[in-house]
Amino acid sequence: MRLLLIEDDPDLSRQMKHVLENDGYVVDTSFDGEDGHFLGETESYDAIVLDLGLPVIDGISVLGKWRKAGISTPVLILTARDGWSEKVAGLDAGADDYVTKPFKIEEVLARVRALIRRAAGQASPELVCGVVTLNTNSSKVTVDGMPVRLTAQEYKLLAYMMHHPEKIISRTELTEHLYDQDFDRDSNTIEVFVTRIRKKLGVPIINTIRGLGYQLANAQE
Ligand code: CA
């Protein structure tokens, strides 16, 4: 899952990026409203964390522009304490949720998880595909109730697919959502990961759609 973090406080940004990456996200950071707006409009993210007090263009305006342009990426806003009018303005501008500063980073993590899940049409933290279950809170995967050990990259790939069960997902899309901008993107590595995941799960849940990419197996029935 790939996130955009727009926060102008460099210490807070670094700290949040670190924790989010430890939690398995790929994180692009931006430090002002203009740059952040551009990234949100041109890159593909699973969720965006947006501070409201930003240089150049404020967060509410950034959000309003995205929504006007039809960009529906889930957005979590960071608001000042006691800033109730800010929260109202943010939600009215199209935010999906908010966290009040100062916050515990765990709250941001939990809200981001929930936003991504809901955007995928999943109310429960447990994503199920046939006998395979993926718990987005604990990052545990089981097959028929038996735990399966996946590497961080394998987990990310499977989680992305299980958040989009109906969709045919190209290698390019997977690469975009599993690696940050600076990574040397080689879509062949995706094939390697898929092969390993298939082997570890031992059940045919990922189908190759020739020339297009991959799709979860039970979505085609
Ligand atoms: Ca700020």
Side-chain angles (χ1 to χ4, degrees), residues 7-8 51 53 101:
E7 165 60 64
D8 58 319
D51 183 33
K101 287 180 170 180

Side-chain angles (χ1 to χ4, degrees), residues 39-54:
L39 282 176
E41 196 163 67
T42 52
E43 295 286 325
S44 147
Y45 295 103
D46 298 292
I48 298 173
V49 179
L50 174 68
D51 183 33
L52 291 187
L54 288 172

